[in-house]
Amino acid sequence: DEVGRIIGYEKIPAALPPKLDEAALPNKVFYYGEKAKNCLFTLGYSEALLYSLVPKGYFEIVYPLASDKSALRESLLPKLGESLITNGRSADLLQLETIKICEVGKVFRVGGEKTYLALGVLPVKKKKGVTAETIVRGDMEALQTALGVTFPYTVSTGEFGAIVEIDFDGVVSKMPEAEALTTLNFAPLPRDIQYQKFSLYPYIVRDIAVFVPEAVEEAIIQSLIKAEAGPLCVRDWLFDVFVKELPEGKKKSCAFRLVFQSFERTLEDAEVNAIMEQVYAAIRKQSDWEIR
C-alpha cells in the first residue's frame, strides 16, 4: 500500500484477478469455517469481525497505538462478550429478542497462531424454561451435526449471556479433506438491499396494548399506530397477542412496541409523550377499540 502510494496508483495497470478453478480444493480450515458459518447463519447468528489487539497477551506489540491495543489476543471470548452486551443495549432498535453473534478468527497463544471459533447468545426477552446456555448447547449440537463431527466444549455464562470457544484447527484436523467451494451452495448477494444510514442519537421505547374485537386484523391496528406515530417512529412491531372471552363476545389484546429516534437530535420524553397522545386519540376514535 505504501509503495503504491509513493509510485502512484494511476501508474499501476488495472487487471482482473484470474478466474478461480471451481474444481480446485480450497484451504481446509477456510472450507469448514464457511460451512460452520453457513450453519450458524441459519440459526440466526450474525458474524462478527472483532479487533485482534487487546491490552494483554503473550505476543506484545513493540510500538502499540494505545495501551489497550498492546498485544495480540489469546482468545475470542472477551471481545465477543463485550459485543453481546453492546448489541443487547440496542436490541429494541435491532428488533431482536435474542442477540446471537459468532466469529471464526485467529488467536495468538504460546504455541503460535491458531484458528478458533466462538459463538455467543444473549436473550434480551426472557422466556420460561429457555436460557442462554440452553440455546447455546442446542446450537452447538446443530453445528456438530452440520459438520459431521463431535467435539468437547465448555459453556461460559455471565452478564454477556452464554458463550463457547473451540479450537477450530483441532476440530478440522480430524475431518476429511475439503470439497470444492461449490458444495457450500453460497446464495448470491441480493441486489435489492442497500445500506441505510443509522442514527447516532439515543432512542426511546414505548409500548401500547389495544383491546379490539377478535375479527380486527393486527395489521390494521399497526398501520393506524404507525401513521399517527409519524417519521420519528423508526421501528414498530407486534410482540404479544392474547384472546379473552367476554359476555359481548371474544376480544383480543394486541401489544405493540414503538421505537422513536431522530437523525438530528436527542429526543426528549415530553416530545415522545406528545406523539403517543396523538396515537391514543386516534385509537379512541375507533369503535370497540380500547387502550389497555
Side-chain angles (χ1 to χ4, degrees):
D1 182 64
E2 294 296 326
V3 172
R5 288 203 303 157
I6 293 171
I7 295 174
Y9 290 128
E10 73 281 359
K11 296 180 181 179
I12 301 175
L16 292 173
K19 186 177 180 181
L20 294 177
D21 181 1
E22 294 183 354
L25 297 183
N27 174 274
K28 187 177 179 181
V29 174
F30 173 81
Y31 175 83
Y32 283 109
E34 294 303 303
K35 190 170 185 177
K37 287 188 286 186
N38 278 353
C39 169
L40 294 174
F41 295 159
T42 63
L43 296 172
Y45 284 82
S46 295
E47 183 180 11
L49 298 173
L50 302 173
Y51 213 51
S52 298
L53 297 179
V54 294
K56 293 182 179 180
Y58 182 77
F59 293 99
E60 296 183 346
I61 308 300
V62 178
Y63 301 109
L65 298 174
S67 59
D68 63 340
K69 300 176 179 64
S70 59
L72 296 175
R73 63 185 178 183
E74 297 184 66
S75 170
L76 304 178
L77 296 188
K79 291 294 183 182
L80 192 71
E82 291 175 13
S83 183
L84 285 166
I85 294 172
T86 300
N87 282 277
R89 298 191 188 106
S90 300
D92 285 323
L93 192 59
L94 297 171
Q95 202 170 328
L96 293 174
E97 294 183 353
T98 303
I99 306 297
K100 288 186 166 187
I101 299 175
C102 66
E103 180 177 16
V104 177
K106 298 292 185 181
V107 298
F108 306 86
R109 298 191 167 189
V110 177
E113 178 182 321
K114 301 196 75 174
T115 302
Y116 271 44
L117 180 149
L119 57 90
V121 171
L122 175 62
V124 180
K125 184 177 180 180
K126 307 301 180 184
K127 294 182 180 180
K128 187 176 181 180
V130 179
T131 66
E133 183 172 354
T134 60
I135 296 173
V136 163
R137 290 191 181 279
D139 291 346
M140 286 298 292
E141 289 182 12
L143 177 61
Q144 292 180 84
T145 299
L147 295 177
V149 64
T150 58
F151 46 82
Y153 62 88
T154 301
V155 180
S156 301
T157 58
E159 63 173 335
F160 47 75
I163 50 181
V164 167
E165 181 180 55
I166 60 171
D167 177 352
F168 199 61
D169 279 341
V171 172
V172 171
S173 67
K174 302 175 183 178
M175 301 175 71
E177 289 303 314
E179 301 177 38
L181 286 176
T182 52
T183 63
L184 294 175
N185 299 317
F186 287 125
L189 291 175
R191 296 183 177 275
D192 58 342
I193 296 179
Q194 296 182 345
Y195 169 78
Q196 293 184 348
K197 183 180 178 182
F198 59 89
S199 174
L200 298 177
Y201 293 96
Y203 61 89
I204 295 177
V205 177
R206 291 288 186 271
D207 290 344
I208 180 172
V210 186
F211 216 31
V212 299
E214 187 182 21
V216 177
E217 296 180 3
E218 291 91 342
I220 294 176
I221 310 169
Q222 188 171 358
S223 178
L224 183 145
I225 291 174
K226 176 62 177 175
E228 293 297 327
L232 289 179
C233 181
V234 295
R235 296 282 187 278
D236 62 286
W237 70 93
L238 177 72
F239 69 86
D240 185 58
V241 178
F242 72 85
V243 178
K244 187 175 183 180
E245 186 74 52
L246 297 174
E248 63 271 23
K250 288 183 178 181
K251 280 198 167 186
K252 63 182 176 183
S253 171
C254 302
F256 298 88
R257 177 152 296 172
L258 311 180
V259 180
F260 296 89
Q261 189 180 42
S262 171
F263 278 86
E264 300 171 352
R265 65 190 186 283
T266 298
L267 296 178
E268 297 183 358
D269 281 332
E271 185 176 3
V272 174
N273 291 341
I275 295 174
M276 292 303 297
E277 287 299 328
Q278 294 177 5
V279 175
Y280 299 149
I283 291 173
R284 293 189 185 103
K285 290 179 181 178
Q286 309 301 312
S287 59
D288 297 330
W289 289 26
E290 179 185 352
I291 301 171
R292 292 185 60 244

